[in-house]
Every structure is written in C-alpha cells, then in structure tokens.
Amino acid sequence: MMLVSFIYPIVATVCAFLLAYVATPAVRVLAFRIGAVDVPLDNRRIHKKPIPRIGGVAIYFGFTVTSMLFCDFSRELLTIWIGGGVLVILGIIDDVIRLNAWIKFLVQLAVSGFAVWNGTLIDHVTLGGGYVSLGAMTVPLSVLWVAGMTNAINFIDGLDGLACGVSAISSLSLLIVVLLHGDMVSTVLCAIMLGACLGFLPFNSNPARIFMGDTGALFLGFSFAVLSVHGVFKLHAVLSFLVPLVIFALPLFDMIFAIIRRICAGRSPFSADRGHIHHRLIDMGFTQKESVKILYALCAIMGLVAVFCTETMFDDKRVIKSVAIAGIAVALFIVNILIMRNPETRRHSGLTEDDMTTADYMHELTPEQAKKIELHNGGHVDPGALPGEQEQHEEEQQSPEGGHESADPGGEKG
C-alpha cells in the first residue's frame, strides 16, 4: 500500500507530461489560426521572430484531464477547474485582441473572490507554535493572496522557458513540502502540475517555439495560490505561512518591486517596462539561457529553504538547518554571479556553451605554462599557438633564411 501511494503521483506526473506535450503542437497551430501570435515590433521584447502565445492551453489541458482521471472530486479541484478555466479564456482573448489591463484585473479579482467564496481561505496562521486567527482580515487577505499570485507568474514571463521552468521548480518544492506532511491529495495535484509544466517546457525553452502567454501564466499563478492555501497555509506547522512565501519568493518579489517602481515613476502598475529581474540580467551581459539558469537556481534555492522549514524531517533543528542551507546557497550563488560577469572566467565555468579551441587555451597561458602543458600532454604545439612566440614565429616565416631553413633544414645538401 505504501508503494502504491508513492507510485500514484509518479504515474499522474507522467500522464500530465504526455498530455501537455502532445497537445502543444495542436495549440501552436490553433494560435496561428486565430492570430494569437507575439510579433516583436518594439525594443522591449527579447525574441526576434513571430511566436504563438497561447501555450497555456496545453498546460491547462494536461492538468485538467489528468486531475479528472487521478483525483477525487473536491472543492479545491473545482476551484482550480472553474477559476483556471475562466482565466485561460481571458488569456486567449487578451492574446488575440489585447484587453485593457484594468478589465483583466477586475476579472482576476472576480475569480479570486470565487476562490475565496468556495473555501480558499487563509483564516489563521501559526506563529511560534501559537494559533493566530485572522478574524475580519481573513477575506481581504485571502483575496489579496490569490489575486497577487495570479499575477506573479505573469510578471516574470519575459524570457524563453523562465515562467514555465520556475513554475515546475515551485511545483516540485510545494510537492515535497505537502508530501512530508502526509497530504496525499495536495501531493497528487502538485505532481500533476509539475508534469503539465514539464510537458510544455521543451517547446518553451530557448529558442522558444511557443509562449505560454497570459493563458498559462494566469492559470499557473491562480492554481499555485489555491494549492498553497489548501496544502500549506493550513498545516499545523510553526511557521507554515512562511513556506509559500519562500517557495514563490522570486515571482512575488519581482511583481512587488515592479509595481512599486512603476507607481514611483508615475506610471500604471500594469504598464510594461524593462525593469524586471530577467531584463536586468540581460542588460548585465548575460544571454537568455544564462539568465534563465541563474533564476532557476535562485528559485530552487528558495524551494530548498522552504523544505528545510518543515517540521516533519527537521523538527528541533529546522531553523538552524534552514539558515545554514540558505547561507551556503547564497554564498555559492554570489560566487557564480561573479564568475559569470567576468568574460574570462565565464567560459571556464561550464555554465555556458564552451567553444574554446586548443589555440584559445594556449594563448591564455604564459610561455612557461604553455611549454609545461606541451610536455605534460606529450604533444607538439605549433610555435604560432604559444603565447609570446607568435610574433617571433611570424618574423621567421617572413625571413628568407628562416623560411628556407623552416621548409628544408637540410638546405642545398639535399
């Protein structure tokens, strides 16, 4: 029975993966038919060619069909199906005709209200082992959380594979947390969400062949909000309310910072700009793939910290272990950022595609180092490839005597 309980989420993950993967080509064709295509006509966009943008339909399809097959009916599931379906439809319309930002926000508030009305309520938190009731703040805080998370994934959807990959990592982190607490219902739902994201990711990774668009970003954000409330916020853990905040720290921080930045600049909080974290990494000189890897790593670090915050495995020393892993991870993260910012060390790191040739490497060495490398590897290095000797070699090639001796050491004796 124990083995079956672990295999069940794995099979659900595989099913959602296959459904989302197989559905994506059809969704891509549909996008071209209805005109849901992102054409780069401004300087803000990173891509350079038209790309369809309703890929979230495949994610929603994979999640919904799989959850119907593997999960028992519940209010939590009904909330995701209906609320997520409304947001997917909203996203399709927006990706085709571009709706006003305030209209989209009002619909998101309505869907958030529906979720709260259907039982997605943060009515208490646990702090230091004590039960703290939110009282009159229950409904407004719950609506704020659902609406905020619904938009958070959309805010970071700016590079190929970024939002989808972050969503997959967040799903895995949430899955581990609820699994450690024995919540198999939420575990299966998180596993299905993970599979749906992974099924879409091959088409969305750089270079992307399709974007998830608002259809996927809004659905994923809304689903995470519902899953976190039912699966984590209501756990009887000492710091349960911190776990979802840590897991979704990257998209939440980027969203909050963007809103504050735009309001301070006297602009609408929904206006587009190039101030997001991923844009800043691109402006620092990182490529799309490098920027996405950096943000994947950051999201994974936060997910690991959230796992260490759980009581089940790390009861009496969880705080110490959480701080330790966070400190080690941040230190390594900073080291890798410094490595990636230096063009010379970046190519040595293995984090980028390495196109270094033997000649390139030899030119980085001093003459003494180059000769040692030649002796150690038992090979012969062209003098022109050795640093400090290339100019001398060129002079010998240009010299009549040097050229004659180089071509035929025996000279006229032959």
Side-chain angles (χ1 to χ4, degrees):
M1 182 63 69
M2 181 66 70
L3 181 61
V4 173
S5 63
F6 280 102
I7 292 179
Y8 200 75
I10 296 175
V11 177
T13 304
V14 174
C15 181
F17 170 88
L18 292 175
L19 287 174
Y21 184 83
V22 175
T24 302
V27 172
R28 195 173 189 274
V29 172
L30 175 63
F32 279 108
R33 291 291 179 87
I34 65 177
V37 180
D38 194 323
V39 183
L41 298 178
D42 57 29
N43 295 325
R44 188 180 62 86
R45 288 170 170 80
I46 304 298
H47 61 284
K48 303 301 180 184
K49 61 181 181 179
I51 298 179
R53 56 185 177 193
I54 58 169
V57 174
I59 299 176
Y60 178 75
F61 174 79
F63 176 87
T64 302
V65 174
T66 306
S67 59
M68 287 181 176
L69 296 173
F70 284 82
C71 302
D72 295 328
F73 181 81
S74 65
R75 294 178 70 185
E76 176 185 8
L77 202 50
L78 180 65
T79 300
I80 297 177
W81 287 345
I82 297 178
V86 171
L87 292 173
V88 166
I89 295 173
L90 175 69
I92 293 175
I93 296 174
D94 180 57
D95 286 335
V96 174
I97 64 175
R98 284 300 176 189
L99 297 172
N100 180 275
W102 288 104
I103 293 177
K104 292 193 295 182
F105 184 63
L106 290 176
V107 175
Q108 293 164 17
L109 282 179
V111 172
S112 301
F114 163 74
V116 172
W117 172 80
N118 205 37
T120 306
L121 285 167
I122 308 173
D123 54 5
H124 72 275
V125 295
T126 51
L127 184 62
Y131 180 97
V132 180
S133 175
L134 297 178
M137 296 300 295
T138 295
V139 171
L141 284 179
S142 299
V143 172
L144 179 64
W145 172 253
V146 177
M149 276 302 304
T150 299
N151 282 281
I153 302 299
N154 201 21
F155 270 76
I156 65 167
D157 188 19
L159 296 180
D160 295 350
L162 177 56
C164 188
V166 166
S167 296
I169 295 171
S170 299
S171 298
L172 179 60
S173 301
L174 200 59
L175 183 155
I176 295 173
V177 170
V178 295
L179 180 62
L180 289 175
H181 284 88
D183 184 354
M184 292 307 299
V185 174
S186 296
T187 297
V188 174
L189 288 176
C190 291
I192 294 173
M193 187 64 74
L194 172 62
C197 291
L198 292 178
F200 178 72
L201 190 58
F203 295 90
N204 188 231
S205 298
N206 184 268
R209 285 167 280 174
I210 186 171
F211 295 149
M212 68 165 60
D214 284 0
T215 56
L218 296 178
F219 167 68
L220 287 172
F222 176 77
S223 299
F224 286 140
V226 176
L227 290 173
S228 62
V229 170
H230 288 274
V232 180
F233 270 111
K234 295 184 178 182
L235 292 176
H236 297 291
V238 176
L239 296 173
S240 61
F241 74 97
L242 284 180
V243 173
L245 295 178
V246 173
I247 291 176
F248 304 112
L250 175 60
L252 286 173
F253 170 81
D254 189 50
M255 178 188 67
I256 294 172
F257 184 76
I259 292 174
I260 294 174
R261 180 180 66 248
R262 293 166 185 173
I263 291 177
C264 291
R267 301 166 54 195
S268 167
F270 302 109
S271 61
D273 61 16
R274 278 188 56 87
H276 293 285
I277 297 175
H278 50 271
H279 287 137
R280 293 178 181 271
L281 289 174
I282 293 292
D283 293 339
M284 288 169 60
F286 296 110
T287 65
Q288 276 207 61
K289 290 183 179 180
E290 293 166 356
S291 300
V292 168
K293 288 177 183 178
I294 290 172
L295 295 177
Y296 278 0
L298 182 58
C299 185
I301 289 171
M302 301 310 295
L304 187 60
V305 171
V307 170
F308 271 87
C309 285
T310 59
E311 293 181 331
T312 307
M313 287 185 65
F314 313 103
D315 189 9
D316 55 341
K317 296 182 179 179
R318 63 186 176 279
V319 175
I320 297 175
K321 292 181 178 180
S322 297
V323 173
I325 192 65
I328 294 171
V330 169
L332 291 174
F333 185 76
I334 293 174
V335 169
N336 279 286
I337 286 289
L338 295 175
I339 289 175
M340 293 290 287
R341 291 192 66 179
N342 187 325
E344 293 184 1
T345 57
R346 182 187 303 182
R347 66 190 309 183
H348 295 165
S349 67
L351 297 173
T352 60
E353 296 181 4
D354 188 5
D355 57 353
M356 178 182 291
T357 65
T358 300
D360 291 336
Y361 177 61
M362 298 302 289
H363 277 295
E364 293 182 359
L365 306 176
T366 63
E368 293 76 14
Q369 291 174 327
K371 290 178 180 178
K372 289 181 179 179
I373 290 293
E374 181 183 358
L375 292 173
H376 178 73
N377 288 275
H380 173 71
V381 179
D382 184 0
L386 294 178
E389 297 189 10
Q390 184 175 12
E391 294 181 0
Q392 178 181 351
H393 180 66
E394 291 176 350
E395 291 176 357
E396 292 177 353
Q397 291 287 350
Q398 295 174 359
S399 171
E401 295 183 359
H404 176 72
E405 292 178 357
S406 175
D408 182 5
E412 297 179 352
K413 293 181 181 179

